[in-house]
Structure formats: structure tokens, C-alpha cells
Amino acid sequence: MPATPPAARHAKPFTSPPAARHAARPTAARRLVTVAAATLIAAATAPATLAYAIPSATVSPTAVAPGGRVALSVAGCGTQVARVTSTAFGEARLTPGNQTAASLIGSTTVFNNAASGSHRVVFECGGPGGERVTLSLQVSTGAARGGTGGSIGSMSPGQIALGSALAAGALGAGVWVIRRRTTAS
């Protein structure tokens, strides 16, 4: 065998620098970031049906006189139609307000002869046999307000005058802006 020089006998074999060794092996922090990123991507691409797990519904107002109107809304159905039934108003159908709406909306009139007290309101997603949500509607004694429909009936003459003045001022300001734009052109 050939003799190796003494300097070569004590030389260490070539290894990568310490920074390169650490870059090759993933650390716990890097693994955590990778897992978090994968989880975020999976959550973002999950099917939209998971968002429709539990429908929620509203009846507004929750207390109404016979002959009054109620607004009905349900979100989270995952369908394009819902049926609402109650002894206070019979049956109503809810549909989306527009093509991208997640909520189904509608309104109905409470029967003129509806008994006073609490009435169950049952929302069924997609119609009979679908996912259900049950709420309560309170029918009070007396008739629905007529005339102004409650919009200005409880306002004082001063409040009506102030509102009218504000509306007239806004109309005047709008006309002034439009006229200035046409003369400036």
C-alpha cells in the first residue's frame, strides 16, 4: 500500500457547511408553517355545502296585529326555495332576492281573524321534508293600523315639518348640483 502523507491522515472528510445542513432538514417551525398552509388551502377549497350545515331564520316583526305584514328570511338552506307555514298566515314561499343571494326572503300577511297569542312559524328548506327551523310569531289583539300604516301616524307635526324641510333641501341641493354641472360643460 502506498503511504499516505501525515497531513492527509488527519484531514476530515468534506462536509457541507452548518447552514446548508440546517437548510436541508426541516425544522419544527417550517413543518408547522407547511401544515398551517395546507390547512388553509383545504379550508378555502372545501365544498360550499359545509356552510349550509345549520339554517337560521328570522321573522320581522316578531309581534304583529291581525292583518299586519311580516317579513320572512332564512339563510343557510343551500336551496333556491323554502316553504314557511304557520297557523297565523298559512303558507308562504321564499326565494332568493337575486342570483347571488345566500338568503331566501319573502313576506306575507297575517290572517285578519288570526287568534291572539303565540303561533309557530316553520321554515322548511327546499319545501316539505327539508331541513327545518321553527320560530314563534306573537299575534296581538286588535286590528292592523290603517291609514298611514304607522309610517307617520305617531309623529308630531313638528317632526313631519322638519322631515319635509330636510327632503326639500336635499332636492334643491340636487337640482343646484345638476344645473352647475350642465353650465360648466
Side-chain angles (χ1 to χ4, degrees), residues 22-41:
H22 289 294
R25 282 186 282 156
T27 63
R30 286 189 187 158
R31 280 189 226 124
L32 183 62
V33 169
T34 304
V35 170
T39 304
L40 182 62
I41 290 170

Side-chain angles (χ1 to χ4, degrees), residues 12-121:
K12 292 184 180 178
F14 177 75
T15 59
S16 58
R21 276 184 283 171
H22 289 294
R25 282 186 282 156
T27 63
R30 286 189 187 158
R31 280 189 226 124
L32 183 62
V33 169
T34 304
V35 170
T39 304
L40 182 62
I41 290 170
T45 60
T49 54
L50 294 177
Y52 298 114
I54 302 172
S56 62
T58 59
V59 175
S60 180
T62 57
V64 67
R69 293 206 44 94
V70 291
L72 307 165
S73 173
V74 64
C77 274
T79 63
Q80 293 293 309
V81 67
R83 180 178 91 146
V84 184
T85 56
S86 176
T87 55
F89 54 77
E91 182 178 317
R93 296 261 181 213
L94 306 182
T95 56
N98 60 38
Q99 294 294 348
T100 60
S103 295
L104 304 174
I105 57 172
S107 64
T108 189
T109 303
V110 174
F111 295 138
N112 286 328
N113 61 349
S116 62
S118 182
H119 292 264
R120 282 180 16 154
V121 179

Side-chain angles (χ1 to χ4, degrees), residues 2-13:
T4 50
R9 274 185 261 161
H10 296 295
K12 292 184 180 178

Side-chain angles (χ1 to χ4, degrees), residues 127-143:
E131 184 82 28
R132 288 183 173 203
V133 176
T134 303
L135 298 178
S136 180
L137 173 66
Q138 189 68 30
V139 176
S140 60
T141 58

